[in-house]
Amino acid sequence: MADQKISVLFVCLGNICRSPMAEAVFAHTIKLKSKSHFFRIDSAGTGEWHVGAPPDPRSVKTCKKHNVPVNTFARQITKGDFHEFDYILLKLFGDYDPEGDRYIRDPYYGGIDGFEKNFQQVTRCSEAFLLHLNII
Ligand code: 4NP
């Protein structure tokens, strides 16, 4: 039943670079483990500038390079989200990073290497978050 699912909202500033990537990587991770049915996931931004926009091409390129599909459009977080979601990863997703790198840094004004770093980090965090939830 839908309301028994663990709901997770990934949040960043614009919802075009980091949180769509985190959502895509987490979706891909749970799909590979046949655990998708446990979850409802989404992503949002705290800012409104990019509402309706597809992810930044550098996020898409980095995900594609790793065969992770991305298919989202930006939206802004709402008050309702705070009632709807069990986990809102405004709490730092990086807290789950086994390498202890707590901050998933804003890659927007940098090069593609920042996106690759984000990708590696959200991949580690996805695995560790699943372990934290006891979903292995
Ligand atoms: P995101 O990256 O928060 O990871 O989506 C950013 C996207 C847009 C801007 C900053 C960061 N911006 O300044 O428009």
Side-chain angles (χ1 to χ4, degrees), residues 17 39 44:
C17 298
F39 291 95

Side-chain angles (χ1 to χ4, degrees), residues 66-129:
H66 294 281
N67 295 313
V68 172
V70 200
N71 184 22
T72 55
F73 292 93
R75 74 171 180 88
Q76 191 174 26
I77 194 167
T78 65
K79 280 185 187 165
D81 288 328
F82 288 88
H83 299 286
E84 260 195 56
F85 285 89
D86 301 318
Y87 290 87
I88 298 185
L89 294 169
L90 268 171
K91 167 191 157 61
L92 298 180
F93 194 30
D95 279 342
Y96 297 101
D97 189 345
E99 293 191 9
D101 193 1
R102 296 183 68 214
Y103 302 108
I104 299 174
R105 290 168 187 78
D106 184 346
Y108 190 66
Y109 292 107
I112 191 81
D113 52 321
F115 287 78
E116 178 64 30
K117 190 164 190 260
N118 289 159
F119 186 93
Q120 298 301 335
Q121 200 174 0
V122 297
T123 299
R124 293 195 300 271
C125 293
S126 292
E127 294 284 351
F129 183 51

Side-chain angles (χ1 to χ4, degrees), residues 12-20 49-50 105-109 118:
C12 64
L13 178 62
N15 194 210
I16 55 168
C17 298
R18 290 165 291 181
S19 57
W49 314 285
H50 300 283
R105 290 168 187 78
D106 184 346
Y108 190 66
Y109 292 107
N118 289 159

Side-chain angles (χ1 to χ4, degrees), residues 12 17-18 26 35 38 40 59 61 91 99 114 128:
C12 64
C17 298
R18 290 165 291 181
F26 191 73
K35 304 291 185 191
F38 281 121
R40 173 166 107 73
S59 258
K61 186 176 175 185
K91 167 191 157 61
E99 293 191 9

